[in-house]
Amino acid sequence: MEKVLYVVPNVSYKKGFLSSAAVNLVITNERVIAVHITRETIAKGKEKASGITGYLAGLAGYSERYYDMEPGEVLKESEENFLIPMAEIKEVKLKTGDYESGKMDELEIKGRRSIKFKADPGSMNVKKIKEAFKAAGVKVKGGGLFSI
């Protein structure tokens, strides 16, 4: 049975020559689902909580709810959502960024189709990402020795 292992909130990837898209990555034991953050998901997040918590939940596209959803439902949420089967992933590379140098955190999925996701420095929980991919049987490189 497919289950959600971890959700990486609010990352972006290069969609085209000059465009990028914000997504939440839902890592399951069978696949990675890139869930596009839309105006609707931001609005839902703001509805669920008020104040700064609601604002932050809205910006993250209300990502916590994916733990309670079936992966198939998550995929159908937007036409732009896409998946990467675990069987097609050769390895995952993690790089931690830092504010001083302006480098972003990076999560690169290498396989039939390689894709790089970026986030603000320190916003990716590298330890949880590693645990999720390892539980799904995927080799993970990088992330640094002192990652949170």
Side-chain angles (χ1 to χ4, degrees):
M1 186 175 134
E2 185 176 20
K3 64 179 183 173
V4 175
L5 301 174
Y6 186 65
V7 178
V8 184
N10 206 23
V11 297
S12 64
Y13 73 99
K14 201 167 182 137
K15 196 173 177 180
F17 179 64
L18 291 174
S19 65
S20 62
V23 296
N24 292 310
L25 292 179
V26 178
I27 303 169
T28 76
N29 54 323
E30 296 179 13
R31 56 192 169 173
V32 176
I33 305 170
V35 185
H36 282 76
I37 299 173
T38 62
R39 289 184 178 144
E40 291 80 23
T41 55
I42 291 171
K44 283 180 187 175
K46 288 179 181 177
E47 279 175 22
K48 286 289 180 182
S50 59
I52 191 72
T53 313
Y55 177 75
L56 293 174
L59 284 181
Y62 187 34
S63 61
E64 292 299 310
R65 68 195 164 103
Y66 298 123
Y67 288 105
D68 298 325
M69 293 174 67
E70 290 293 320
E73 289 177 62
V74 173
L75 184 61
K76 291 177 189 172
E77 196 172 71
S78 169
E79 290 179 10
E80 290 185 277
N81 294 352
F82 62 91
L83 65 92
I84 304 167
M86 287 295 178
E88 291 181 10
I89 299 174
K90 291 183 180 134
E91 74 177 12
V92 172
K93 286 179 96 174
L94 296 169
K95 290 182 186 175
T96 53
D98 69 274
Y99 284 105
E100 290 178 18
S101 66
K103 289 186 180 181
M104 306 280 279
D105 285 352
E106 291 182 6
L107 184 162
E108 184 176 3
I109 297 175
K110 293 185 165 207
R112 181 185 300 173
R113 172 184 170 200
S114 293
I115 187 165
K116 192 180 289 188
F117 298 94
K118 295 183 177 191
D120 289 334
S123 66
M124 284 189 194
N125 188 328
V126 174
K127 182 179 178 187
K128 295 232 184 222
I129 293 169
K130 281 183 175 183
E131 288 172 2
F133 277 110
K134 285 182 180 178
V138 174
K139 183 178 171 183
V140 181
K141 285 186 173 180
L145 295 172
F146 304 105
S147 299
I148 297 171

